[in-house]
Amino acid sequence: MRRALLLAALAALALPASAFAHASLRSESPGFKQRLSASPREVVLQFDETVDALPKAIVVLTLKGKNVAGTPRAVKSQRELVASLPRLPKGPYTVRWQALSNDGHIVSGVYTFGVGVPAPPVTDAVGAQGPTRTEDIVRWLYFVGLALAVGGIGFRLLVVRGPLTARAQRRFFWMTGIGVVGVLEAGIVAFLLRGEDALQLPFGRFLYGDLSPLAKGTRFGETFVIMELGFALVCALVYLAWLTDRDALLWAAFAVGMVLVSGLSLSGHSAAGPGDSKWSELADYVHLSAAMLWVGGLVQLAVVVWPAQPELRRTAFLRFSRLATVLVALLVGAGTYLSVLRLPQLHDLWTSGYGHVLLVKLGLVSLALGWGAAHHFLAVPRIDRPGVVGTLSRTLAGESAVAMAVLLAAAILTDSKPPPQPLPGKAPTVAVAHR
């Protein structure tokens, strides 16, 4: 059975993929994210085949959304679309383009440039709305996938340590596999949603959109590419570990996963906000990694060990309780530091949207910490008494549900904009709160 699955996977990889034969943008002037010292005279887009100009083939928008481009025209001998420009004042500009290719499909794209100022990222292009509630849900699913995959493997290696029964082993690989596939799929959906927002196109037209400015020119896009390739490797390692029963492959998958988690810290507020540093990136990484290991361990304990390997319950619970104490300490310490950095003024907690989400997360974290403390101080000393094990099966499921809610609040918080920093020279009122 396992050999058949392996052969099927190799055959699927060997099959050639079909290519769409529509026009692709080869070069642009002004260039993507280019900072110009003087106003350009025109916008020139060159394609890999001849294209026809549509009425709004090239639109150049100011920060206020005004189109300053002249009537676009196609130069078929050069495979170009060209639009003249007036003298542009200093500022950022958004170029939105669309062209009719030979196969009848309308290809579209967007990019930014600046005159005398840095070009904004394409995710901040004029017309883009920013993260939506749908993106928050997708990011939550992404976090859940990370917890099931990275946290689940960590639990297997750091807590269980020894062999599992066939039933427990099967459950472990099912949960871990769901996590890895969830990370890959949620990552793709998140990238497409962000690209659809930047391009501002209906889905049918979006399929022929140029996403290269998002993939190559933003932290979000670059992180997406690296993490998709990285978790494809994690998926392969987990699959081979299942086929061969070798823990060495799980150690390799765990190491790669822990490294990849840093990508979220390097592309979020802790790397892009004002006043941020390597320390804030490190704190964010510690915060996220501790949360992934804690939540993933809880799920493994409740879904794998408790129902599928009863003789391991006591040992796994005691070991995880000790590990969870360290993880929670790291999570709270790093979160407190990040909260001070993000909310320099106390009233931001109740006057800003970021603060509101943080308060909700604080409440959920406090509930989870209280639940965990009850397990540690009440359940651990009584674990050998009759009836305690049965009660723990229900309370572990409840704590896991609260932990999932914490991840949802974290997903919303990740895409929320922190309040502005105070002006230089004005002493802030520091708020000590968990991020």
Side-chain angles (χ1 to χ4, degrees), residues 144 208 332:
V144 170
Y208 297 95
V332 172

Side-chain angles (χ1 to χ4, degrees), residues 22-91:
H22 55 268
S24 298
L25 184 64
R26 176 176 293 176
S27 64
E28 67 282 330
S29 177
F32 166 57
K33 289 193 72 176
Q34 185 176 5
R35 178 175 179 171
L36 304 172
S37 57
S39 172
R41 295 183 178 180
E42 59 185 8
V43 173
V44 180
L45 306 178
Q46 187 179 61
F47 296 83
D48 59 357
E49 63 180 56
T50 58
V51 295
D52 293 322
L54 297 169
K56 293 184 178 180
I58 298 177
V59 173
V60 180
L61 301 171
T62 66
L63 197 58
K64 296 182 178 180
K66 179 183 178 182
N67 179 26
V68 295
T71 302
R73 65 185 189 281
V75 183
K76 293 188 177 294
S77 61
Q78 301 295 323
R79 300 175 180 175
E80 292 177 346
L81 288 179
V82 181
S84 60
L85 292 173
R87 182 176 180 82
L88 300 179
K90 180 179 178 181

Side-chain angles (χ1 to χ4, degrees), residues 5 15 20 31 34 130 134 141 159 164 182 190 222 232 234 262-263 275 302 315 333 420:
L5 288 173
L15 291 175
F20 293 104
Q34 185 176 5
T134 301
L141 293 174
V159 176
L164 292 171
E222 292 167 354
V234 172
S262 66
T315 301

Side-chain angles (χ1 to χ4, degrees), residues 113-385:
F113 69 91
V115 177
V117 299
V122 71
T123 49
D124 292 336
V126 175
Q129 303 299 312
T132 63
R133 285 292 168 259
T134 301
E135 289 186 71
D136 290 337
I137 297 298
V138 171
R139 182 171 285 271
W140 172 64
L141 293 174
Y142 194 88
F143 284 171
V144 170
L146 283 176
L148 294 179
V150 181
I153 297 173
F155 178 88
R156 173 71 177 82
L157 298 173
L158 301 176
V159 176
V160 174
R161 303 176 191 170
L164 292 171
T165 62
R167 183 185 176 201
Q169 186 84 333
R170 186 167 56 252
R171 283 191 173 224
F172 162 74
F173 277 112
W174 265 108
M175 296 303 297
T176 305
I178 290 172
V180 175
V181 173
V183 170
L184 291 170
E185 297 301 325
I188 293 172
V189 174
F191 179 77
L192 293 178
L193 287 173
R194 194 65 60 91
E196 187 177 19
D197 178 53
L199 289 172
Q200 293 292 290
L201 294 173
F203 187 74
R205 290 266 307 281
F206 169 70
L207 292 175
Y208 297 95
D210 177 20
L211 296 178
S212 58
L214 183 66
K216 299 177 182 178
T218 63
R219 286 177 181 262
F220 172 82
E222 292 167 354
T223 300
F224 159 75
V225 173
I226 293 172
M227 293 193 72
E228 285 296 302
L229 294 175
F231 272 98
L233 174 60
V234 172
C235 186
L237 290 170
V238 171
Y239 183 58
L240 289 174
W242 173 65
L243 288 175
T244 62
D245 291 325
R246 293 183 180 178
D247 285 350
L249 293 170
L250 287 179
W251 277 109
F254 180 62
V256 173
M258 289 297 292
V259 171
L260 291 174
V261 169
S262 66
L264 298 178
S265 302
L266 295 174
S267 63
H269 294 309
S270 295
D276 292 322
S277 64
K278 297 298 182 182
W279 291 110
S280 65
E281 294 174 9
L282 177 61
D284 194 82
Y285 173 70
V286 170
H287 184 75
L288 181 58
S289 299
M292 296 300 103
L293 293 172
W294 172 53
V295 176
L298 274 174
V299 174
Q300 287 284 325
L301 195 60
V303 177
V304 176
V305 173
W306 227 257
Q309 194 157 352
E311 66 275 13
L312 190 60
R313 289 172 179 171
R314 184 181 188 280
T315 301
F317 185 83
L318 292 176
R319 287 176 180 174
F320 181 71
S321 180
R322 290 192 291 268
L323 176 63
T325 301
V326 177
L327 294 176
V328 168
L330 291 173
L331 190 148
V332 172
T336 300
Y337 169 76
L338 291 169
S339 294
V340 172
L341 190 65
R342 293 284 165 264
L343 298 175
Q345 302 184 81
L346 181 61
H347 63 76
D348 287 332
L349 267 175
W350 56 85
T351 60
S352 67
Y354 188 89
H356 296 161
V357 178
L358 180 58
L359 285 174
V360 173
K361 186 184 175 187
L362 275 170
L364 291 170
V365 169
S366 298
L367 178 59
L369 291 180
W371 212 313
H375 279 157
H376 183 78
F377 294 108
L378 299 179
V380 169
R382 299 172 175 81
I383 195 169
D384 293 323
R385 296 183 182 180

Side-chain angles (χ1 to χ4, degrees), residues 358-419:
L358 180 58
L359 285 174
V360 173
K361 186 184 175 187
L362 275 170
L364 291 170
V365 169
S366 298
L367 178 59
L369 291 180
W371 212 313
H375 279 157
H376 183 78
F377 294 108
L378 299 179
V380 169
R382 299 172 175 81
I383 195 169
D384 293 323
R385 296 183 182 180
V388 173
V389 170
T391 302
L392 277 175
S393 64
R394 295 187 293 272
T395 59
L396 282 173
E399 187 178 358
S400 299
V402 174
M404 292 296 180
V406 171
L407 291 183
L408 176 57
I412 298 173
L413 197 65
T414 299
D415 278 333
S416 299
K417 186 176 180 180

